[in-house]
Amino acid sequence: MDHDHDDHLHHEHDSHYSDMQARVRALETLLTRKGLIDPAAVDRIIDTYETKVGPRNGAAVVARAWIDPTYAEWLARDATHAIVSLGFGERHGTRMRAIFNTPEVHNLVVCTLCSCYPWAVLGLPPVWYKSPAYRSRAVIDPRSVLAEFGVDLPAEKKIRVWDSTAELRYLVIPERPAGTEGLSEEALAALVSRDAMIGTAIVRLPEQIR
Ligand code: FE
């Protein structure tokens, strides 16, 4: 566990975030009342960015790392620049670190103080990532939290928990599933879910290509 949060920065980041949320909600209410937007459509757009558009960037990074050992080595050594090379840039000053799952170690990402998240590669954070329950329990009892996400790890597998900060954010590189040797880079990327890159899922081959 390394947590080098700067408290001052974090309070700014938190209050800015909740202020922004309040303004967004007020605007949404106003536009809905005037009949200008359909809240269900807004929910669908947000869902698209949470689960489809944003995480596709991270999935492209994972797929490249799976097929290109030189890229994987660069990603392990200097994730910030290896990720920018694929066209996905974090906001100024944020560093990225890629953490690789192995047969021995499973990695899980959390932000215990607020909701630091690698926007450039994963898009919008899911609601549960920001919840106090996940933020506290991921650190205290990661194995049970993973079980609730449907990830039952063998007892001998170690779980390493990484605490994100405003300055340093993590991308989990899941293990490449067996049986994917013949798949293209695009097909591999399609297997990688957002949750697998946070560490709350593992990548599996769907039944139809198994
Ligand atoms: Fe944070």
Side-chain angles (χ1 to χ4, degrees):
M1 291 279 305
D2 57 347
H3 199 132
D4 55 316
H5 271 266
D6 178 311
D7 277 339
H8 174 66
L9 264 181
H10 254 275
H11 290 138
E12 269 184 9
H13 166 72
D14 264 352
S15 63
H16 178 254
Y17 189 71
S18 52
D19 181 47
M20 179 73 86
Q21 277 185 322
R23 283 156 70 182
V24 166
R25 188 155 310 142
L27 184 61
E28 189 180 332
T29 304
L30 181 68
L31 293 173
T32 304
R33 253 189 229 142
K34 288 183 173 290
L36 293 173
I37 57 168
D38 168 9
V42 173
D43 287 346
R44 280 197 300 277
I45 292 167
I46 291 171
D47 178 67
T48 298
Y49 276 89
E50 271 181 358
T51 61
K52 298 187 182 77
V53 178
R56 289 303 100 214
N57 296 351
V61 173
V62 171
R64 179 64 59 85
W66 282 349
I67 62 161
D68 182 347
T70 307
Y71 183 78
E73 190 272 327
W74 184 18
L75 191 61
R77 187 164 34 84
D78 180 9
T80 308
H81 292 102
I83 288 168
V84 165
S85 79
L86 296 186
F88 316 126
E90 262 300 346
R91 286 176 303 175
H92 179 72
T94 302
R95 285 179 303 128
M96 285 293 308
R97 181 158 172 198
I99 42 181
F100 291 69
N101 285 347
T102 68
E104 292 78 34
V105 179
H106 181 88
N107 295 285
L108 179 67
V109 177
V110 65
C111 175
T112 54
L113 288 193
C114 49
S115 56
C116 296
Y117 190 72
W119 298 78
V121 279
L122 295 187
L124 304 174
V127 169
W128 55 258
Y129 185 84
K130 298 182 274 186
S131 72
Y134 177 75
R135 285 158 45 198
S136 57
R137 294 189 49 229
V139 175
I140 298 163
D141 190 8
R143 203 169 289 272
S144 302
V145 169
L146 286 174
E148 286 166 31
F149 275 94
V151 179
D152 287 300
L153 297 176
E156 64 275 15
K157 191 151 186 157
K158 272 190 64 179
I159 302 172
R160 202 169 284 158
V161 181
W162 301 81
D163 200 345
S164 298
T165 71
E167 298 79 25
L168 178 60
R169 306 185 185 205
Y170 300 96
L171 178 69
V172 174
I173 310 300
E175 285 184 275
R176 179 174 174 169
T180 56
E181 292 73 17
L183 294 188
S184 68
E185 187 170 349
E186 290 72 25
L188 287 170
L191 298 177
V192 182
S193 68
R194 172 197 68 196
D195 289 3
M197 295 180 280
I198 303 174
T200 52
I202 57 176
V203 177
R204 293 182 195 283
L205 260 189
E207 296 291 342
Q208 58 268 30
I209 40 177
R210 214 176 277 171

